[in-house]
Amino acid sequence: MNLSTYKKYILLTTISSCFFLILFLCLYIYTNKQEKSDYIATTADFKKEIESQLESSWSPFEDQLNDMSFWDEFVKYIQTKDKKWFNFYLGSTIDVYGLDLISVYNLNGDLVNARTTGNFNGDIIPRKLISILHKKKYLTFFINDNGTYYKVYASTIHPSNDPEKKLSSPKGYFFMGLRLDEKYFEKIKNISSASKCIINISNIDAKKDNITFSKELIDWKGKVIGKFHFEKNYTKDFAVSKIILRIIIAFFLIYLIINIYFSRKWVFTPLKLITTILESNSNSEQINELKNINGEFGHIGELFENNNLQKINLINAKTQAEKSDKLKSAFLANLSHEIRTPINAINGFSELLLNTKTTVDEKKSYLKVINKSGQNLINIIDDLIEMSKIESNLISPNLTAIDLDSSIKELFESIKVTISSKKNIELRLIESKFKPSHYIVTDETKLKQIITNIVTNAIKFTEKGSVTLQYEVNETENTITFSVIDTGIGINEENLEKIFERFRRIESDLSIKVGGLGLGLSISKAYIELLGGNIRLESKIDKGSKFIFSIPLQYETNTLHKVKRTKKIKPLDDKIHTILIAEDDNINFLLFEKIINDFNYTILRAKNGQEAIDICTKNKDIDLILMDIKMPVLSGFEAISQIRKIYPQIPIIAQTAYSSEEDKIKIKHAGFTDYISKPLDRIKLNNLITTYLNENPN
Ligand code: ADP
């Protein structure tokens, strides 16, 4: 049988209920039967009891009558009518036996004498009866004398030699009477269990359920002249047992209804919900309903909800994984393209330089391309490293106090010079109307990088028109808001959010042409958030875009923040400065030498960290050290700690291939005055040397 759990439960309940109902019914029928048979048995017992009580109350009179009816003295009395004798021998029996009547009649039927307990003459015997008694010798019967009933014992009188009353003819008639009155009834009630005892001609109106017994009173003619009624209380109360059984059945039925109602509510409904949820493969409305049920089902509801959430998360994660898989593939293709382009340029132009006869001007232009391509490669690598650091949460802001206005102006100018003359773009700067009262605390490098990213994007994606960089300091809202507005190709609504995702580019002819890894904006967004700000974008296709980002305004009040002030570079004095270059790689050293040789410096070279220490120990007139970080024997980090003991103040500039912010901080912590990243930028190197020799003229 393929039944649901609830149906099985209902079936079981129905069967057990039927079983109990049958049991209760059997008990009820049995009690009924018991009651009937007990009533019958009690009635029979009552009858027997009353009959034996009547018998025992009447039998002494019969014996007495018999004893006195064959007595010579009695025969003689009939003749003598001696009242004295009558009173002494016969009349006294009234008192002795509790009789109510003693009477004697002669053969003519005349009353010889009578004695009674009541106020009557005692002649109550019908004369016709005497002739019947004459023949029968002995009679007992009932008589109704004006509403008073008597039990009468009658006998003929014979001499003492004829006790059987067969030898002689009767000499007279002797009667004994017992009045069946209240007194007699009381006596019967006292010696029996009867509660009521009356004489009536009709059937008595007995109390319901009481036991009754009636005995007919028959006169001397054999006619029923009345009835002796006895009644007894029937005390065994089977009704209570039956009521209890009825109550049990009623309660059982109520229990059954309650059981079915609540099992439906607590078991059937939740199970149905679970089935529906499982069949419909998640249904949040039903899950909520299940969750609201107290107890295990509520818990199952919560599990369903968790499961649902996990499922949704898994689906999302799967979609996300598929998306990022696609993104990564696109990124790899893009990356490969982005790397190949500069490498191709480097390879192609260096081959041209080697293999063809070129003019000095051509050589210059080829070298510019090679240089630019190398720079592009470095930018790509920097972006990749930066993104992976952002993802690993390795980036933290390096807060310094800056002069916002001059810092932005300086950045703006440096971006402006990069705009190709072919582009018909006007680059504008709208300074903050409100001038900050103090230096501002922020990570200058990151802020500049954010602005550079957004502005160079705007320049890249704008063919004609303008690109405006605007910033506003708001002291009431405590914010600095930067806006970069262009009149370029714009971005459709669908991509407004997406372009901030990593590796995300809008595939258009222009974006393919200008290139890019799709990392710039995601790095910028991460930086803005790192500085405690946010970025948004408004854009319309073919109308242009507006990137707006805000960072918190924080004035320099904390002395811990180093104030970075713009340095004024003075021309160097005539002194010939000595520069120590610690560099293991010959080509790199050559490059250094070439760049630095343009100026009038004495150059010393160390091939490892140890040599650098040794040279420093021997030469006390070194003005500046350019130190590679990665060197054999002793690294730059190890060597500087020793050199600082000899030259605590001398400018030591680290040259490193690692150029991330964190590396820069590490370098500064090690005791280096500044750093320059490889590949070397000629102008940057010269600026650095001039700046530090100027600060430390010795
Ligand atoms: P990339 O470094 O490749 O430029 P970004 O994250 O900086 O990557 O930019 C992602 C994409 O956003 C770009 O490829 C371009 O499609 C779109 N984009 C960014 N700035 C602009 C802009 N000012 N106008 C139009 N499109 C833009």
Side-chain angles (χ1 to χ4, degrees), residues 334 338 383 453-462 484 486 488-491 495 498-508 510-511 514-524 537 539 544-547:
N334 195 18
E338 292 301 317
D383 274 0
N453 276 348
I454 300 173
V455 174
T456 44
N457 267 350
I459 296 166
K460 269 201 279 185
F461 296 103
T462 307
V484 178
D486 68 51
I489 59 167
I491 298 158
N495 288 314
K498 289 184 184 164
I499 55 160
F500 292 103
E501 292 171 16
R502 60 209 170 104
F503 310 128
R504 192 62 95 156
R505 290 192 334 165
I506 304 167
E507 296 305 327
S508 65
L510 185 59
S511 68
V514 295
L517 283 177
L519 284 176
L521 283 179
S522 46
I523 291 174
S524 302
L537 161 65
S539 187
S545 311
K546 183 177 181 182
F547 287 79

Side-chain angles (χ1 to χ4, degrees), residues 86 93 121 147 169 205 212 217-218 231 250 256 267 287 323 334 390 411 425 460 499 513 530 534 557 595 655 664 695:
F86 176 83
T93 50
N121 63 14
S169 65
D205 186 15
T212 56
L217 304 177
I218 311 227
E231 193 180 324
L256 209 66
V267 181
I287 289 177
K323 216 165 97 185
N334 195 18
I390 289 169
L411 177 70
I425 294 176
K460 269 201 279 185
I499 55 160
K513 192 179 130 199
L530 194 75
N534 54 61
T557 47
I595 296 170
Q655 344 148 11
K664 290 166 196 169
E695 276 180 4

Side-chain angles (χ1 to χ4, degrees), residues 373-385:
S373 302
Q375 198 55 52
N376 280 350
L377 270 177
I378 288 160
N379 289 343
I380 290 171
I381 291 162
D382 279 354
D383 274 0
L384 282 174
I385 291 172

Side-chain angles (χ1 to χ4, degrees), residues 466-632:
S466 64
V467 171
T468 313
L469 167 65
Q470 182 181 1
Y471 68 97
E472 192 57 54
V473 176
N474 188 330
E475 260 188 357
T476 24
E477 282 179 21
N478 251 346
T479 50
I480 312 169
T481 306
F482 296 87
S483 311
V484 178
I485 309 142
D486 68 51
T487 54
I489 59 167
I491 298 158
N492 60 8
E493 219 182 307
E494 197 190 313
N495 288 314
L496 286 182
E497 284 295 318
K498 289 184 184 164
I499 55 160
F500 292 103
E501 292 171 16
R502 60 209 170 104
F503 310 128
R504 192 62 95 156
R505 290 192 334 165
I506 304 167
E507 296 305 327
S508 65
D509 293 345
L510 185 59
S511 68
I512 292 165
K513 192 179 130 199
V514 295
L517 283 177
L519 284 176
L521 283 179
S522 46
I523 291 174
S524 302
K525 189 171 181 254
Y527 280 176
I528 292 167
E529 283 164 6
L530 194 75
L531 297 179
N534 54 61
I535 183 166
R536 66 196 168 82
L537 161 65
E538 293 163 10
S539 187
K540 270 215 167 97
I541 286 280
D542 294 333
K543 289 267 176 318
S545 311
K546 183 177 181 182
F547 287 79
I548 308 142
F549 74 92
S550 295
I551 55 165
L553 168 70
Q554 194 191 337
Y555 283 128
E556 187 227 345
T557 47
N558 187 347
T559 45
L560 285 175
H561 293 125
K562 221 172 121 185
V563 180
K564 201 172 167 188
R565 295 173 207 278
T566 329
K567 298 153 202 155
K568 293 254 167 354
I569 300 174
K570 294 184 282 176
L572 280 176
D573 50 27
D574 292 341
K575 183 190 170 213
I576 297 171
H577 293 275
T578 308
I579 296 174
L580 168 65
I581 300 172
E583 171 63 72
D584 60 321
D585 188 273
N586 287 338
I587 297 174
N588 276 343
F589 175 73
L590 231 111
L591 201 59
F592 267 118
E593 208 181 26
K594 275 268 164 235
I595 296 170
I596 295 170
N597 256 348
D598 287 357
F599 303 88
N600 199 13
Y601 300 133
T602 308
I603 291 173
L604 304 172
R605 182 191 175 186
K607 286 186 178 167
N608 56 52
Q610 188 54 56
E611 272 187 33
I613 299 167
D614 296 342
I615 294 170
C616 284
T617 325
K618 282 180 206 151
N619 292 284
K620 297 286 177 214
D621 56 351
I622 297 172
D623 299 299
L624 189 138
I625 303 171
L626 282 165
M627 172 114 67
D628 190 13
I629 294 289
K630 261 182 114 182
M631 279 188 300

Side-chain angles (χ1 to χ4, degrees), residues 51-64:
E51 275 180 338
S52 88
Q53 289 301 341
L54 288 176
E55 192 54 43
S56 59
S57 76
W58 290 336
S59 61
F61 306 129
E62 274 176 52
D63 297 344
Q64 186 61 25

